[in-house]
Amino acid sequence: DAGVIQSPRHEVTEMGQEVTLRCKPISGHNSLFWYRQTMMRGLELLIYFNNNVPIDDSGMPEDRFSAKMPNASFSTLKIQPSEPRDSAVYFCASRRDGNNSPLHFGNGTRLTVT
Amino acid sequence: AQSVTQLGSHVSVSEGALVLLRCNYSSSVPPYLFWYVQYPNQGLQLLLKYTTGATLVKGINGFEAEFKKSETSFHLTKPSAHMSDAAEYFCAVLSGGYNKLIFGAGTRLAVHP
């Protein structure tokens, strides 16, 4: 089991540029979550998908953020245009439906917007 | 709505001492509760979980937690701290139709010699 795979591990970009973060969930997991972690706000849920369909995007900070899940094995989180306050670690996580099923996290993408 | 409160953003213990990290939850339905650990530059890893059944749950690395419904608590303990336990610990409750995990603010554990 390869675990949840995120790329890139680190991203440094200039303000105004488009940023795309990628995630491959664990095979067989039908829910996928995007989280953002900062010192100030802790771990925030941005959006989650179930069976490739966005279920709750109430945590997406603003229209500059968008997420897609075109198939069961791939998701993207896009920020366009990026701003310095978007600097954070972004985590993708996946789980199998069921009360007993834990969430499995990727190692995150550390985004720095200058 | 479900929520989680972790008391103490920082806890410091001596190596070999008892570790106690506090978590209280709020839930209108029977809760499903989790503890996760995060080491530097890594994602969160599951330590243990409570769903139903035995209220004392054992996890990895010698950690355990006890679900106490009367106190709405799910505190994490370890009898003897090790230097390698230094990390950030998150308590979480399953919410949103049992599909969304709600995390506490986290507790950073420091272990000193």
PDB file of all heavy atoms in Angstrom, chain A residues 9 31 33 35 37 45 48 56 91 95 97 99-100 102-103 105-107 110, chain B residues 32 36 38 41-44 46 49 51 90 94 96 98-101 103:
ATOM      1  N   ARG A   9       6.253  18.123  -3.032  1.00  0.00           N
ATOM      2  CA  ARG A   9       6.426  18.223  -1.574  1.00  0.00           C
ATOM      3  C   ARG A   9       6.596  19.681  -1.166  1.00  0.00           C
ATOM      4  O   ARG A   9       6.162  20.089  -0.088  1.00  0.00           O
ATOM      5  CB  ARG A   9       7.653  17.430  -1.122  1.00  0.00           C
ATOM      6  CG  ARG A   9       7.465  15.935  -1.059  1.00  0.00           C
ATOM      7  CD  ARG A   9       6.347  15.492  -0.098  1.00  0.00           C
ATOM      8  NE  ARG A   9       6.413  16.054   1.235  1.00  0.00           N
ATOM      9  CZ  ARG A   9       7.104  15.549   2.245  1.00  0.00           C
ATOM     10  NH1 ARG A   9       7.826  14.465   2.080  1.00  0.00           N
ATOM     11  NH2 ARG A   9       7.076  16.131   3.451  1.00  0.00           N
ATOM     12  N   SER A  31     -13.544   8.414  -0.299  1.00  0.00           N
ATOM     13  CA  SER A  31     -13.648   9.813   0.155  1.00  0.00           C
ATOM     14  C   SER A  31     -12.269  10.446   0.160  1.00  0.00           C
ATOM     15  O   SER A  31     -11.291   9.827   0.601  1.00  0.00           O
ATOM     16  CB  SER A  31     -14.248   9.885   1.557  1.00  0.00           C
ATOM     17  OG  SER A  31     -15.623   9.602   1.529  1.00  0.00           O
ATOM     18  N   PHE A  33     -10.134  14.219   1.003  1.00  0.00           N
ATOM     19  CA  PHE A  33     -10.227  15.476   1.749  1.00  0.00           C
ATOM     20  C   PHE A  33      -8.993  16.325   1.463  1.00  0.00           C
ATOM     21  O   PHE A  33      -7.880  15.808   1.382  1.00  0.00           O
ATOM     22  CB  PHE A  33     -10.272  15.192   3.254  1.00  0.00           C
ATOM     23  CG  PHE A  33     -11.403  14.303   3.685  1.00  0.00           C
ATOM     24  CD1 PHE A  33     -11.354  12.934   3.466  1.00  0.00           C
ATOM     25  CD2 PHE A  33     -12.508  14.831   4.320  1.00  0.00           C
ATOM     26  CE1 PHE A  33     -12.391  12.101   3.864  1.00  0.00           C
ATOM     27  CE2 PHE A  33     -13.552  14.007   4.733  1.00  0.00           C
ATOM     28  CZ  PHE A  33     -13.489  12.651   4.501  1.00  0.00           C
ATOM     29  N   TYR A  35      -6.968  19.461   3.280  1.00  0.00           N
ATOM     30  CA  TYR A  35      -6.814  20.260   4.482  1.00  0.00           C
ATOM     31  C   TYR A  35      -5.701  21.279   4.281  1.00  0.00           C
ATOM     32  O   TYR A  35      -4.764  21.057   3.501  1.00  0.00           O
ATOM     33  CB  TYR A  35      -6.428  19.389   5.687  1.00  0.00           C
ATOM     34  CG  TYR A  35      -7.521  18.536   6.273  1.00  0.00           C
ATOM     35  CD1 TYR A  35      -7.774  17.262   5.778  1.00  0.00           C
ATOM     36  CD2 TYR A  35      -8.290  18.994   7.340  1.00  0.00           C
ATOM     37  CE1 TYR A  35      -8.772  16.464   6.330  1.00  0.00           C
ATOM     38  CE2 TYR A  35      -9.288  18.201   7.903  1.00  0.00           C
ATOM     39  CZ  TYR A  35      -9.523  16.950   7.396  1.00  0.00           C
ATOM     40  OH  TYR A  35     -10.510  16.163   7.948  1.00  0.00           O
ATOM     41  N   GLN A  37      -2.959  23.571   6.729  1.00  0.00           N
ATOM     42  CA  GLN A  37      -2.439  23.707   8.093  1.00  0.00           C
ATOM     43  C   GLN A  37      -1.544  24.929   8.181  1.00  0.00           C
ATOM     44  O   GLN A  37      -0.586  25.074   7.420  1.00  0.00           O
ATOM     45  CB  GLN A  37      -1.668  22.451   8.512  1.00  0.00           C
ATOM     46  CG  GLN A  37      -1.236  22.474   9.974  1.00  0.00           C
ATOM     47  CD  GLN A  37      -0.528  21.196  10.387  1.00  0.00           C
ATOM     48  OE1 GLN A  37       0.235  20.613   9.636  1.00  0.00           O
ATOM     49  NE2 GLN A  37      -0.799  20.733  11.610  1.00  0.00           N
ATOM     50  N   LEU A  45     -10.335  22.054   7.252  1.00  0.00           N
ATOM     51  CA  LEU A  45     -10.859  21.281   6.139  1.00  0.00           C
ATOM     52  C   LEU A  45     -11.316  22.244   5.051  1.00  0.00           C
ATOM     53  O   LEU A  45     -12.146  23.118   5.297  1.00  0.00           O
ATOM     54  CB  LEU A  45     -12.029  20.406   6.592  1.00  0.00           C
ATOM     55  CG  LEU A  45     -12.723  19.601   5.497  1.00  0.00           C
ATOM     56  CD1 LEU A  45     -11.767  18.598   4.869  1.00  0.00           C
ATOM     57  CD2 LEU A  45     -13.944  18.879   6.064  1.00  0.00           C
ATOM     58  N   TYR A  48     -14.234  18.290   0.704  1.00  0.00           N
ATOM     59  CA  TYR A  48     -14.090  16.856   0.581  1.00  0.00           C
ATOM     60  C   TYR A  48     -15.020  16.292  -0.484  1.00  0.00           C
ATOM     61  O   TYR A  48     -16.076  16.875  -0.774  1.00  0.00           O
ATOM     62  CB  TYR A  48     -14.221  16.139   1.927  1.00  0.00           C
ATOM     63  CG  TYR A  48     -15.601  15.894   2.461  1.00  0.00           C
ATOM     64  CD1 TYR A  48     -16.293  14.712   2.178  1.00  0.00           C
ATOM     65  CD2 TYR A  48     -16.196  16.806   3.329  1.00  0.00           C
ATOM     66  CE1 TYR A  48     -17.530  14.473   2.725  1.00  0.00           C
ATOM     67  CE2 TYR A  48     -17.439  16.566   3.871  1.00  0.00           C
ATOM     68  CZ  TYR A  48     -18.109  15.396   3.575  1.00  0.00           C
ATOM     69  OH  TYR A  48     -19.344  15.156   4.123  1.00  0.00           O
ATOM     70  N   ASP A  56     -18.780  18.899   0.309  1.00  0.00           N
ATOM     71  CA  ASP A  56     -18.779  20.061   1.185  1.00  0.00           C
ATOM     72  C   ASP A  56     -17.559  20.913   0.867  1.00  0.00           C
ATOM     73  O   ASP A  56     -16.443  20.501   1.132  1.00  0.00           O
ATOM     74  CB  ASP A  56     -18.761  19.601   2.646  1.00  0.00           C
ATOM     75  CG  ASP A  56     -18.821  20.775   3.630  1.00  0.00           C
ATOM     76  OD1 ASP A  56     -18.773  21.951   3.201  1.00  0.00           O
ATOM     77  OD2 ASP A  56     -18.934  20.519   4.850  1.00  0.00           O
ATOM     78  N   PHE A  91      -2.615  19.389   2.980  1.00  0.00           N
ATOM     79  CA  PHE A  91      -2.655  17.936   3.100  1.00  0.00           C
ATOM     80  C   PHE A  91      -3.844  17.381   2.341  1.00  0.00           C
ATOM     81  O   PHE A  91      -4.942  17.947   2.370  1.00  0.00           O
ATOM     82  CB  PHE A  91      -2.782  17.516   4.564  1.00  0.00           C
ATOM     83  CG  PHE A  91      -1.542  17.709   5.371  1.00  0.00           C
ATOM     84  CD1 PHE A  91      -1.424  18.773   6.250  1.00  0.00           C
ATOM     85  CD2 PHE A  91      -0.483  16.818   5.255  1.00  0.00           C
ATOM     86  CE1 PHE A  91      -0.278  18.955   6.999  1.00  0.00           C
ATOM     87  CE2 PHE A  91       0.668  16.994   6.003  1.00  0.00           C
ATOM     88  CZ  PHE A  91       0.772  18.068   6.872  1.00  0.00           C
ATOM     89  N   ARG A  95     -10.147   8.129   2.821  1.00  0.00           N
ATOM     90  CA  ARG A  95     -10.664   7.055   3.671  1.00  0.00           C
ATOM     91  C   ARG A  95     -11.714   6.279   2.909  1.00  0.00           C
ATOM     92  O   ARG A  95     -12.295   6.762   1.927  1.00  0.00           O
ATOM     93  CB  ARG A  95     -11.245   7.602   4.973  1.00  0.00           C
ATOM     94  CG  ARG A  95     -12.510   8.408   4.839  1.00  0.00           C
ATOM     95  CD  ARG A  95     -12.906   9.042   6.176  1.00  0.00           C
ATOM     96  NE  ARG A  95     -13.352   8.077   7.154  1.00  0.00           N
ATOM     97  CZ  ARG A  95     -14.639   7.783   7.375  1.00  0.00           C
ATOM     98  NH1 ARG A  95     -15.593   8.362   6.667  1.00  0.00           N
ATOM     99  NH2 ARG A  95     -14.984   6.901   8.313  1.00  0.00           N
ATOM    100  N   ASP A  97     -15.424   4.609   3.091  1.00  0.00           N
ATOM    101  CA  ASP A  97     -16.650   4.891   3.827  1.00  0.00           C
ATOM    102  C   ASP A  97     -16.861   3.862   4.924  1.00  0.00           C
ATOM    103  O   ASP A  97     -16.518   2.697   4.772  1.00  0.00           O
ATOM    104  CB  ASP A  97     -17.857   4.864   2.882  1.00  0.00           C
ATOM    105  CG  ASP A  97     -17.976   6.159   2.104  1.00  0.00           C
ATOM    106  OD1 ASP A  97     -17.217   7.105   2.396  1.00  0.00           O
ATOM    107  OD2 ASP A  97     -18.821   6.221   1.195  1.00  0.00           O
ATOM    108  N   ASN A  99     -17.954   3.844   9.503  1.00  0.00           N
ATOM    109  CA  ASN A  99     -17.630   4.529  10.750  1.00  0.00           C
ATOM    110  C   ASN A  99     -16.290   4.102  11.321  1.00  0.00           C
ATOM    111  O   ASN A  99     -15.653   4.845  12.050  1.00  0.00           O
ATOM    112  CB  ASN A  99     -18.730   4.249  11.788  1.00  0.00           C
ATOM    113  CG  ASN A  99     -20.077   4.733  11.302  1.00  0.00           C
ATOM    114  OD1 ASN A  99     -20.154   5.647  10.491  1.00  0.00           O
ATOM    115  ND2 ASN A  99     -21.129   4.116  11.782  1.00  0.00           N
ATOM    116  N   ASN A 100     -15.880   2.911  10.998  1.00  0.00           N
ATOM    117  CA  ASN A 100     -14.667   2.344  11.552  1.00  0.00           C
ATOM    118  C   ASN A 100     -13.411   2.764  10.802  1.00  0.00           C
ATOM    119  O   ASN A 100     -12.305   2.468  11.220  1.00  0.00           O
ATOM    120  CB  ASN A 100     -14.779   0.827  11.469  1.00  0.00           C
ATOM    121  CG  ASN A 100     -14.499   0.162  12.788  1.00  0.00           C
ATOM    122  OD1 ASN A 100     -14.138   0.820  13.755  1.00  0.00           O
ATOM    123  ND2 ASN A 100     -14.649  -1.141  12.823  1.00  0.00           N
ATOM    124  N   PRO A 102     -10.441   4.877   9.403  1.00  0.00           N
ATOM    125  CA  PRO A 102      -9.701   6.102   9.714  1.00  0.00           C
ATOM    126  C   PRO A 102      -9.317   6.880   8.460  1.00  0.00           C
ATOM    127  O   PRO A 102      -9.435   6.378   7.342  1.00  0.00           O
ATOM    128  CB  PRO A 102      -8.447   5.571  10.409  1.00  0.00           C
ATOM    129  CG  PRO A 102      -8.228   4.245   9.783  1.00  0.00           C
ATOM    130  CD  PRO A 102      -9.595   3.695   9.461  1.00  0.00           C
ATOM    131  N   LEU A 103      -8.842   8.075   8.685  1.00  0.00           N
ATOM    132  CA  LEU A 103      -8.357   8.942   7.613  1.00  0.00           C
ATOM    133  C   LEU A 103      -6.857   8.717   7.444  1.00  0.00           C
ATOM    134  O   LEU A 103      -6.119   8.645   8.425  1.00  0.00           O
ATOM    135  CB  LEU A 103      -8.629  10.392   8.022  1.00  0.00           C
ATOM    136  CG  LEU A 103      -8.731  11.477   6.986  1.00  0.00           C
ATOM    137  CD1 LEU A 103      -9.741  11.132   5.929  1.00  0.00           C
ATOM    138  CD2 LEU A 103      -9.089  12.777   7.669  1.00  0.00           C
ATOM    139  N   PHE A 105      -3.434  10.220   5.746  1.00  0.00           N
ATOM    140  CA  PHE A 105      -2.906  11.476   5.224  1.00  0.00           C
ATOM    141  C   PHE A 105      -1.691  11.262   4.340  1.00  0.00           C
ATOM    142  O   PHE A 105      -0.875  10.361   4.575  1.00  0.00           O
ATOM    143  CB  PHE A 105      -2.473  12.387   6.382  1.00  0.00           C
ATOM    144  CG  PHE A 105      -3.612  13.093   7.053  1.00  0.00           C
ATOM    145  CD1 PHE A 105      -4.418  12.426   7.966  1.00  0.00           C
ATOM    146  CD2 PHE A 105      -3.888  14.420   6.765  1.00  0.00           C
ATOM    147  CE1 PHE A 105      -5.482  13.075   8.592  1.00  0.00           C
ATOM    148  CE2 PHE A 105      -4.942  15.080   7.385  1.00  0.00           C
ATOM    149  CZ  PHE A 105      -5.736  14.400   8.290  1.00  0.00           C
ATOM    150  N   GLY A 106      -1.545  12.146   3.349  1.00  0.00           N
ATOM    151  CA  GLY A 106      -0.299  12.265   2.624  1.00  0.00           C
ATOM    152  C   GLY A 106       0.694  13.085   3.439  1.00  0.00           C
ATOM    153  O   GLY A 106       0.366  13.586   4.527  1.00  0.00           O
ATOM    154  N   ASN A 107       1.890  13.242   2.911  1.00  0.00           N
ATOM    155  CA  ASN A 107       2.935  13.982   3.620  1.00  0.00           C
ATOM    156  C   ASN A 107       2.847  15.489   3.417  1.00  0.00           C
ATOM    157  O   ASN A 107       3.634  16.233   3.982  1.00  0.00           O
ATOM    158  CB  ASN A 107       4.319  13.488   3.209  1.00  0.00           C
ATOM    159  CG  ASN A 107       4.650  12.169   3.895  1.00  0.00           C
ATOM    160  OD1 ASN A 107       4.212  11.905   5.010  1.00  0.00           O
ATOM    161  ND2 ASN A 107       5.411  11.333   3.217  1.00  0.00           N
ATOM    162  N   ARG A 110       4.209  21.774   1.042  1.00  0.00           N
ATOM    163  CA  ARG A 110       4.497  23.055   1.701  1.00  0.00           C
ATOM    164  C   ARG A 110       4.553  24.134   0.640  1.00  0.00           C
ATOM    165  O   ARG A 110       5.436  24.137  -0.221  1.00  0.00           O
ATOM    166  CB  ARG A 110       5.817  22.984   2.463  1.00  0.00           C
ATOM    167  CG  ARG A 110       6.146  24.267   3.232  1.00  0.00           C
ATOM    168  CD  ARG A 110       7.394  24.106   4.084  1.00  0.00           C
ATOM    169  NE  ARG A 110       7.198  23.130   5.148  1.00  0.00           N
ATOM    170  CZ  ARG A 110       6.624  23.408   6.320  1.00  0.00           C
ATOM    171  NH1 ARG A 110       6.202  24.620   6.588  1.00  0.00           N
ATOM    172  NH2 ARG A 110       6.502  22.464   7.234  1.00  0.00           N
TER     173      ARG A 110
ATOM    174  N   TYR B  32     -17.546   8.907  17.304  1.00  0.00           N
ATOM    175  CA  TYR B  32     -16.420   8.085  16.882  1.00  0.00           C
ATOM    176  C   TYR B  32     -15.191   8.989  17.021  1.00  0.00           C
ATOM    177  O   TYR B  32     -15.137  10.045  16.407  1.00  0.00           O
ATOM    178  CB  TYR B  32     -16.602   7.609  15.449  1.00  0.00           C
ATOM    179  CG  TYR B  32     -17.772   6.660  15.307  1.00  0.00           C
ATOM    180  CD1 TYR B  32     -19.049   7.133  15.043  1.00  0.00           C
ATOM    181  CD2 TYR B  32     -17.601   5.296  15.470  1.00  0.00           C
ATOM    182  CE1 TYR B  32     -20.133   6.270  14.942  1.00  0.00           C
ATOM    183  CE2 TYR B  32     -18.675   4.423  15.374  1.00  0.00           C
ATOM    184  CZ  TYR B  32     -19.940   4.921  15.111  1.00  0.00           C
ATOM    185  OH  TYR B  32     -21.003   4.064  15.019  1.00  0.00           O
ATOM    186  N   TYR B  36      -4.543  11.357  16.477  1.00  0.00           N
ATOM    187  CA  TYR B  36      -3.519  11.332  15.440  1.00  0.00           C
ATOM    188  C   TYR B  36      -2.248  11.984  15.968  1.00  0.00           C
ATOM    189  O   TYR B  36      -2.301  12.873  16.815  1.00  0.00           O
ATOM    190  CB  TYR B  36      -3.973  12.098  14.197  1.00  0.00           C
ATOM    191  CG  TYR B  36      -4.945  11.356  13.304  1.00  0.00           C
ATOM    192  CD1 TYR B  36      -6.306  11.315  13.617  1.00  0.00           C
ATOM    193  CD2 TYR B  36      -4.509  10.699  12.164  1.00  0.00           C
ATOM    194  CE1 TYR B  36      -7.195  10.638  12.808  1.00  0.00           C
ATOM    195  CE2 TYR B  36      -5.398  10.025  11.337  1.00  0.00           C
ATOM    196  CZ  TYR B  36      -6.741   9.993  11.665  1.00  0.00           C
ATOM    197  OH  TYR B  36      -7.625   9.318  10.853  1.00  0.00           O
ATOM    198  N   GLN B  38       1.458  13.874  14.621  1.00  0.00           N
ATOM    199  CA  GLN B  38       2.163  14.480  13.489  1.00  0.00           C
ATOM    200  C   GLN B  38       3.599  14.762  13.879  1.00  0.00           C
ATOM    201  O   GLN B  38       3.860  15.572  14.780  1.00  0.00           O
ATOM    202  CB  GLN B  38       1.476  15.764  13.041  1.00  0.00           C
ATOM    203  CG  GLN B  38       2.094  16.370  11.788  1.00  0.00           C
ATOM    204  CD  GLN B  38       1.414  17.653  11.352  1.00  0.00           C
ATOM    205  OE1 GLN B  38       0.853  18.390  12.155  1.00  0.00           O
ATOM    206  NE2 GLN B  38       1.455  17.925  10.061  1.00  0.00           N
ATOM    207  N   ASN B  41       7.367  17.768   9.487  1.00  0.00           N
ATOM    208  CA  ASN B  41       7.417  17.602   8.031  1.00  0.00           C
ATOM    209  C   ASN B  41       6.731  16.337   7.543  1.00  0.00           C
ATOM    210  O   ASN B  41       7.086  15.809   6.476  1.00  0.00           O
ATOM    211  CB  ASN B  41       8.872  17.616   7.539  1.00  0.00           C
ATOM    212  CG  ASN B  41       9.564  18.915   7.881  1.00  0.00           C
ATOM    213  OD1 ASN B  41       9.001  19.990   7.681  1.00  0.00           O
ATOM    214  ND2 ASN B  41      10.753  18.821   8.442  1.00  0.00           N
ATOM    215  N   GLN B  42       5.774  15.857   8.307  1.00  0.00           N
ATOM    216  CA  GLN B  42       5.023  14.674   7.889  1.00  0.00           C
ATOM    217  C   GLN B  42       3.537  14.929   8.015  1.00  0.00           C
ATOM    218  O   GLN B  42       3.099  15.892   8.655  1.00  0.00           O
ATOM    219  CB  GLN B  42       5.401  13.464   8.736  1.00  0.00           C
ATOM    220  CG  GLN B  42       6.835  12.989   8.535  1.00  0.00           C
ATOM    221  CD  GLN B  42       7.115  11.699   9.288  1.00  0.00           C
ATOM    222  OE1 GLN B  42       6.216  10.908   9.564  1.00  0.00           O
ATOM    223  NE2 GLN B  42       8.376  11.492   9.628  1.00  0.00           N
ATOM    224  N   GLY B  43       2.756  14.058   7.410  1.00  0.00           N
ATOM    225  CA  GLY B  43       1.310  14.103   7.584  1.00  0.00           C
ATOM    226  C   GLY B  43       0.915  13.488   8.910  1.00  0.00           C
ATOM    227  O   GLY B  43       1.755  13.035   9.684  1.00  0.00           O
ATOM    228  N   LEU B  44      -0.374  13.494   9.170  1.00  0.00           N
ATOM    229  CA  LEU B  44      -0.880  12.927  10.422  1.00  0.00           C
ATOM    230  C   LEU B  44      -0.981  11.413  10.300  1.00  0.00           C
ATOM    231  O   LEU B  44      -1.377  10.879   9.261  1.00  0.00           O
ATOM    232  CB  LEU B  44      -2.265  13.502  10.740  1.00  0.00           C
ATOM    233  CG  LEU B  44      -2.293  14.893  11.357  1.00  0.00           C
ATOM    234  CD1 LEU B  44      -1.864  15.973  10.391  1.00  0.00           C
ATOM    235  CD2 LEU B  44      -3.694  15.199  11.902  1.00  0.00           C
ATOM    236  N   LEU B  46      -2.492   7.854  12.275  1.00  0.00           N
ATOM    237  CA  LEU B  46      -3.448   7.388  13.268  1.00  0.00           C
ATOM    238  C   LEU B  46      -2.736   6.711  14.432  1.00  0.00           C
ATOM    239  O   LEU B  46      -1.916   5.812  14.235  1.00  0.00           O
ATOM    240  CB  LEU B  46      -4.431   6.408  12.624  1.00  0.00           C
ATOM    241  CG  LEU B  46      -5.505   5.848  13.546  1.00  0.00           C
ATOM    242  CD1 LEU B  46      -6.488   6.949  13.957  1.00  0.00           C
ATOM    243  CD2 LEU B  46      -6.249   4.697  12.874  1.00  0.00           C
ATOM    244  N   LYS B  49      -8.203   4.674  17.802  1.00  0.00           N
ATOM    245  CA  LYS B  49      -9.564   5.111  17.530  1.00  0.00           C
ATOM    246  C   LYS B  49     -10.544   4.407  18.462  1.00  0.00           C
ATOM    247  O   LYS B  49     -10.292   3.288  18.911  1.00  0.00           O
ATOM    248  CB  LYS B  49      -9.952   4.834  16.074  1.00  0.00           C
ATOM    249  CG  LYS B  49      -9.969   3.350  15.722  1.00  0.00           C
ATOM    250  CD  LYS B  49     -10.336   3.143  14.260  1.00  0.00           C
ATOM    251  CE  LYS B  49     -10.326   1.644  13.928  1.00  0.00           C
ATOM    252  NZ  LYS B  49     -10.630   1.401  12.498  1.00  0.00           N
ATOM    253  N   THR B  51     -14.634   3.456  18.427  1.00  0.00           N
ATOM    254  CA  THR B  51     -15.899   3.463  17.685  1.00  0.00           C
ATOM    255  C   THR B  51     -17.001   2.917  18.581  1.00  0.00           C
ATOM    256  O   THR B  51     -17.887   3.645  19.001  1.00  0.00           O
ATOM    257  CB  THR B  51     -15.794   2.649  16.380  1.00  0.00           C
ATOM    258  OG1 THR B  51     -15.292   1.347  16.674  1.00  0.00           O
ATOM    259  CG2 THR B  51     -14.833   3.337  15.418  1.00  0.00           C
ATOM    260  N   PHE B  90      -3.243  15.325  17.744  1.00  0.00           N
ATOM    261  CA  PHE B  90      -4.560  15.864  17.404  1.00  0.00           C
ATOM    262  C   PHE B  90      -5.650  14.871  17.790  1.00  0.00           C
ATOM    263  O   PHE B  90      -5.575  13.689  17.445  1.00  0.00           O
ATOM    264  CB  PHE B  90      -4.668  16.133  15.894  1.00  0.00           C
ATOM    265  CG  PHE B  90      -3.779  17.231  15.394  1.00  0.00           C
ATOM    266  CD1 PHE B  90      -2.484  16.961  14.986  1.00  0.00           C
ATOM    267  CD2 PHE B  90      -4.239  18.536  15.334  1.00  0.00           C
ATOM    268  CE1 PHE B  90      -1.657  17.972  14.518  1.00  0.00           C
ATOM    269  CE2 PHE B  90      -3.425  19.559  14.865  1.00  0.00           C
ATOM    270  CZ  PHE B  90      -2.130  19.272  14.463  1.00  0.00           C
ATOM    271  N   LEU B  94     -15.643  12.162  14.385  1.00  0.00           N
ATOM    272  CA  LEU B  94     -16.248  11.967  13.074  1.00  0.00           C
ATOM    273  C   LEU B  94     -17.589  12.669  13.046  1.00  0.00           C
ATOM    274  O   LEU B  94     -18.397  12.529  13.964  1.00  0.00           O
ATOM    275  CB  LEU B  94     -16.419  10.476  12.821  1.00  0.00           C
ATOM    276  CG  LEU B  94     -16.509   9.987  11.373  1.00  0.00           C
ATOM    277  CD1 LEU B  94     -15.314  10.456  10.568  1.00  0.00           C
ATOM    278  CD2 LEU B  94     -16.604   8.472  11.358  1.00  0.00           C
ATOM    279  N   GLY B  96     -20.604  15.042  10.270  1.00  0.00           N
ATOM    280  CA  GLY B  96     -21.141  15.223   8.928  1.00  0.00           C
ATOM    281  C   GLY B  96     -21.682  13.969   8.313  1.00  0.00           C
ATOM    282  O   GLY B  96     -21.298  13.610   7.198  1.00  0.00           O
ATOM    283  N   TYR B  98     -21.139  11.110   9.499  1.00  0.00           N
ATOM    284  CA  TYR B  98     -20.076  10.129   9.717  1.00  0.00           C
ATOM    285  C   TYR B  98     -19.106  10.066   8.550  1.00  0.00           C
ATOM    286  O   TYR B  98     -18.569   9.010   8.251  1.00  0.00           O
ATOM    287  CB  TYR B  98     -20.642   8.733  10.004  1.00  0.00           C
ATOM    288  CG  TYR B  98     -21.356   8.654  11.336  1.00  0.00           C
ATOM    289  CD1 TYR B  98     -22.662   8.193  11.427  1.00  0.00           C
ATOM    290  CD2 TYR B  98     -20.716   9.060  12.496  1.00  0.00           C
ATOM    291  CE1 TYR B  98     -23.304   8.129  12.637  1.00  0.00           C
ATOM    292  CE2 TYR B  98     -21.351   8.998  13.722  1.00  0.00           C
ATOM    293  CZ  TYR B  98     -22.640   8.526  13.787  1.00  0.00           C
ATOM    294  OH  TYR B  98     -23.273   8.458  14.997  1.00  0.00           O
ATOM    295  N   ASN B  99     -18.885  11.180   7.881  1.00  0.00           N
ATOM    296  CA  ASN B  99     -17.874  11.142   6.828  1.00  0.00           C
ATOM    297  C   ASN B  99     -16.788  12.192   6.978  1.00  0.00           C
ATOM    298  O   ASN B  99     -15.743  12.070   6.370  1.00  0.00           O
ATOM    299  CB  ASN B  99     -18.532  11.310   5.461  1.00  0.00           C
ATOM    300  CG  ASN B  99     -17.645  10.812   4.339  1.00  0.00           C
ATOM    301  OD1 ASN B  99     -16.940   9.810   4.478  1.00  0.00           O
ATOM    302  ND2 ASN B  99     -17.650  11.506   3.233  1.00  0.00           N
ATOM    303  N   LYS B 100     -17.020  13.198   7.825  1.00  0.00           N
ATOM    304  CA  LYS B 100     -16.070  14.298   7.938  1.00  0.00           C
ATOM    305  C   LYS B 100     -15.409  14.264   9.308  1.00  0.00           C
ATOM    306  O   LYS B 100     -16.080  14.128  10.327  1.00  0.00           O
ATOM    307  CB  LYS B 100     -16.830  15.616   7.758  1.00  0.00           C
ATOM    308  CG  LYS B 100     -15.965  16.818   7.551  1.00  0.00           C
ATOM    309  CD  LYS B 100     -16.773  17.993   7.016  1.00  0.00           C
ATOM    310  CE  LYS B 100     -17.821  18.499   7.973  1.00  0.00           C
ATOM    311  NZ  LYS B 100     -18.449  19.755   7.465  1.00  0.00           N
ATOM    312  N   LEU B 101     -14.070  14.370   9.327  1.00  0.00           N
ATOM    313  CA  LEU B 101     -13.338  14.340  10.589  1.00  0.00           C
ATOM    314  C   LEU B 101     -13.081  15.770  11.045  1.00  0.00           C
ATOM    315  O   LEU B 101     -12.504  16.565  10.293  1.00  0.00           O
ATOM    316  CB  LEU B 101     -12.020  13.590  10.373  1.00  0.00           C
ATOM    317  CG  LEU B 101     -11.466  12.768  11.532  1.00  0.00           C
ATOM    318  CD1 LEU B 101     -12.473  11.735  11.995  1.00  0.00           C
ATOM    319  CD2 LEU B 101     -10.177  12.082  11.141  1.00  0.00           C
ATOM    320  N   PHE B 103     -11.103  18.117  13.616  1.00  0.00           N
ATOM    321  CA  PHE B 103      -9.900  18.058  14.435  1.00  0.00           C
ATOM    322  C   PHE B 103      -9.888  19.143  15.505  1.00  0.00           C
ATOM    323  O   PHE B 103     -10.395  20.246  15.295  1.00  0.00           O
ATOM    324  CB  PHE B 103      -8.653  18.220  13.565  1.00  0.00           C
ATOM    325  CG  PHE B 103      -8.323  17.003  12.752  1.00  0.00           C
ATOM    326  CD1 PHE B 103      -8.847  16.847  11.475  1.00  0.00           C
ATOM    327  CD2 PHE B 103      -7.498  16.016  13.255  1.00  0.00           C
ATOM    328  CE1 PHE B 103      -8.554  15.722  10.719  1.00  0.00           C
ATOM    329  CE2 PHE B 103      -7.188  14.886  12.507  1.00  0.00           C
ATOM    330  CZ  PHE B 103      -7.723  14.733  11.245  1.00  0.00           C
TER     331      PHE B 103
END
